Amino acid sequence: MMNTQYAAYTNSTRRRWLQALASTPLVPTLTAPALADVATKTKAHIVIAGSGLGGIAVANRLSKLLDGAKITIIDRKEEHNYQPGYTLVASGVWPVSKVRDRNADFLPAGIEWVKDMVASFDPAANTVSTVSGQRIRYDFLVVGIGVYLDYAQITGMDISAIGREGLTSVYPSPEAAQATWATMQAFAAKGGNAVMTLPSTPLKCAGAPLKMTFMLRDRLFKAGTLGTSKIRFESALGNVFGVKAVNDNVLGRWRDLGIDVDFSRKLTAIDIGARRATFAFPDGQTQEMPYDFIHVVPPTRAPDAVKNSELAWKDGPFATGGWLEVDKRTLQHRRFPNVFGIGDINGTPRGKTAATVKKSAPLVAHNLVEVIAGRVANENFDGYTSCPLITREGSAMLIEFDYEGNLTPTLPMIEPLQDSFFAWLMKVRMLKPAYISVLKGRV
Ligand SMILES: Cc1cc2nc3c(=O)[nH]c(=O)nc-3n(C[C@H](O)[C@H](O)[C@H](O)COP(=O)(O)OP(=O)(O)OC[C@H]3O[C@@H](n4cnc5c(N)ncnc54)[C@H](O)[C@@H]3O)c2cc1C
């Protein structure tokens, strides 16, 4: 079915798509990036905390923009995971091997890789300390340590049990995504009661819980068990997505698909063996809900190393999660100007997606080079965030928006709130190569 539709694209249609694609922030530009012709000479020592998408993307760009700098990256993780592929693994579209690569293959030549974790930051002394006791001094620091998945806030939750007793969660790892798919398949074979959850905290890829819901419904439909099944989506918020136009669109689709939604219900406890979840209401009352299948989405916060440091927001909406206190436009720390943030760790409105890193990593590298050269950070980020929201196998909506929640479509032929086969193709075929280009600092 998919191949027939793909073949139906004429050459001229393909050409028009490619021209349009070249201009979107989502996919790599087809020509070489306009990096500075002359690298800035410096003896500065730059430490990058975290070797996820953001850390490595900035490392690669800095290594091209600077001449003579010492760059150190700190992270003990050796496997590189393409997290945007987790929902495809968890819904049986991709094999797990497609989300597994090696960090060593993406790091720039000449970088020092400290295979350790940052235990604490001391920005007043320009040092970081690692779990194994090293103290590393820096001139400039880039923080890219992502989010902490706080499953411990759900009493009884055990991520090692994902894949048993109808328990699923796409977030923690490729293994969890794989186990989620095995469980989804077993559930779809028989049908029953499914409960999908959404916490009230910021999330990386806030669309992932919605994608899992759409795909579960699609799998039940294809297995012929939809008629004997019920899907309930339990949101701890007053919505299911923070951008109103998207929220209304998804709720309308779910109404048509027979997916029920409850608001202001926070998952607080789970009895895995008994297949029973407990939800709390704002007035403190609780309700137990039995299920055959549950998808648990963890609350998130900043990892302890940032949360407990001087680098975290001390007041305002991002203080509770301990997120990094950066200026939302320049991504420079608001109190320590030799510190920048990249990716999910940033305490900014929205912006926890790989697409955000695609657009902001060049800006962070540029602004940092300006500061190294004694000038001011002069490029401004608009908060670009994107979420290819899969609605069933073979169809997706390409949602792009900014800090203010304005829809900012970059592909003229794609209606943001209209699902299409082309948006699906982008998700399953084009966005991983785009991600790898971002990692390598090519875009
Ligand atoms: C299920 C799922 C679906 C997603 N779908 C999409 C999508 O469709 N589109 C999209 O654009 N994005 C999607 N994302 C989000 C995207 O993967 C992230 O936004 C992106 O990876 C952010 O990059 P990052 O570098 O900030 O964090 P990460 O890539 O998570 O990297 C953080 C790194 O920091 C390291 N670290 C943590 N603590 C420390 C410490 N104390 N010291 C040193 N290192 C540390 C970790 O080991 C890790 O390597 C999805 C994510 C998930 C989980």
Side-chain angles (χ1 to χ4, degrees):
M1 165 86 159
M2 189 161 67
N3 285 338
T4 323
Q5 287 189 32
Y6 188 45
Y9 278 98
T10 63
N11 282 341
S12 73
T13 308
R14 274 199 211 126
R15 236 188 338 270
R16 279 194 297 133
W17 280 118
L18 282 172
Q19 281 161 357
L21 281 172
S23 64
T24 174
L26 270 176
V27 296
T29 39
L30 304 178
T31 53
L35 285 179
D37 290 339
V38 182
T40 300
K41 287 194 190 312
T42 177
K43 294 271 179 248
H45 182 198
I46 299 145
V47 165
I48 300 173
S51 67
L53 173 62
I56 295 184
V58 170
N60 275 306
R61 295 193 78 89
L62 288 178
S63 75
K64 291 173 191 160
L65 292 168
L66 297 174
D67 177 7
K70 178 180 175 192
I71 305 178
T72 301
I73 197 160
I74 308 172
D75 194 335
R76 72 169 162 239
K77 194 161 191 278
E78 301 204 23
E79 183 170 291
H80 193 92
N81 297 126
Y82 175 63
Q83 298 173 55
Y86 286 5
T87 49
L88 296 175
V89 173
S91 55
V93 181
W94 271 11
V96 71
S97 56
K98 289 198 81 161
V99 298
R100 287 191 169 130
D101 290 287
R102 289 170 357 119
N103 275 333
D105 295 335
F106 304 119
L107 288 168
I111 196 168
E112 180 192 30
W113 181 5
V114 176
K115 291 182 187 173
D116 201 345
M117 298 302 258
V118 175
S120 61
F121 294 95
D122 183 354
N126 292 327
T127 56
V128 303
S129 299
T130 68
V131 168
S132 73
Q134 294 184 65
R135 218 170 129 77
I136 301 170
R137 209 188 165 280
Y138 60 81
D139 299 308
F140 299 91
L141 173 69
V142 180
V143 184
I145 63 173
V147 308
Y148 180 76
L149 303 175
D150 205 0
Y151 284 100
Q153 282 191 38
I154 304 160
T155 305
M157 179 60 195
D158 174 6
I159 58 168
S160 72
I162 293 169
R164 285 192 274 123
E165 302 290 353
L167 176 66
T168 69
S169 185
V170 71
Y171 272 88
S173 63
E175 296 73 29
Q178 205 174 16
T180 291
W181 170 230
T183 308
M184 191 185 284
Q185 267 179 302
F187 172 66
K190 286 200 283 190
N193 286 324
V195 174
M196 315 299 282
T197 71
L198 184 75
S200 58
T201 62
L203 284 182
K204 53 177 160 182
C205 193
L210 315 185
K211 299 177 207 182
M212 292 304 295
T213 305
F214 277 117
M215 285 306 279
L216 176 66
R217 194 258 173 208
D218 195 44
R219 293 308 181 199
L220 288 166
F221 174 72
K222 291 215 167 83
T225 50
L226 189 58
T228 53
S229 301
K230 189 77 222 155
I231 303 177
R232 299 195 75 84
F233 190 92
E234 303 297 314
S235 169
L237 297 162
N239 56 32
V240 298
F241 199 83
V243 177
K244 186 174 180 327
V246 179
N247 180 63
D248 294 350
N249 182 288
V250 169
L251 288 179
R253 285 169 186 271
W254 285 358
R255 215 169 16 249
D256 295 345
L257 294 172
I259 296 168
D260 289 342
V261 184
D262 292 314
F263 299 106
S264 305
R265 290 198 189 184
K266 181 177 162 190
L267 178 66
T268 53
I270 185 165
D271 182 337
I272 295 169
R275 297 196 188 206
R276 199 169 279 278
T278 304
F279 290 88
F281 304 124
D283 64 4
Q285 305 263 353
T286 60
Q287 184 192 354
E288 284 201 349
M289 202 178 277
Y291 60 82
D292 301 300
F293 175 100
I294 189 167
H295 183 248
V296 175
V297 179
T300 73
R301 61 169 174 79
D304 286 339
V306 163
K307 190 171 191 291
N308 300 335
S309 78
E310 269 307 305
L311 293 175
W313 280 95
K314 300 300 167 209
D315 47 45
F318 307 113
T320 315
W323 304 103
L324 192 72
E325 186 181 335
V326 290
D327 177 273
K328 71 176 187 178
R329 298 289 172 199
T330 60
L331 305 183
Q332 183 176 29
H333 199 277
R334 285 160 39 99
R335 286 174 285 116
F336 300 99
N338 62 337
V339 178
F340 282 79
I342 182 72
D344 295 348
I345 185 64
N346 284 340
T348 51
R350 316 181 202 276
K352 296 196 190 317
T353 65
T356 309
V357 175
K358 154 94 172 64
K359 203 162 171 206
S360 58
L363 179 144
V364 166
H366 168 87
N367 281 349
L368 176 51
V369 171
E370 290 297 288
V371 173
I372 290 172
R375 298 185 288 266
V376 293
N378 56 22
E379 275 192 3
N380 287 325
F381 185 46
D382 63 0
Y384 179 78
T385 307
S386 167
C387 177
L389 198 52
I390 48 185
T391 51
R392 61 180 165 79
E393 189 168 29
S395 199
M397 288 191 277
L398 190 59
I399 315 277
E400 300 164 272
F401 48 92
D402 62 14
Y403 277 144
E404 281 73 41
N406 301 310
L407 295 179
T408 54
T410 56
L411 285 168
M413 288 105 127
I414 287 196
E415 277 293 318
L417 298 174
Q418 180 66 55
D419 54 328
S420 70
F421 178 68
F422 185 73
W424 166 265
L425 264 191
M426 280 191 69
K427 173 72 185 163
V428 298
R429 301 254 180 105
M430 299 179 200
L431 292 183
K432 182 166 180 195
Y435 176 103
I436 299 295
S437 292
V438 175
L439 261 184
K440 291 180 174 171
R442 292 189 179 147
V443 286

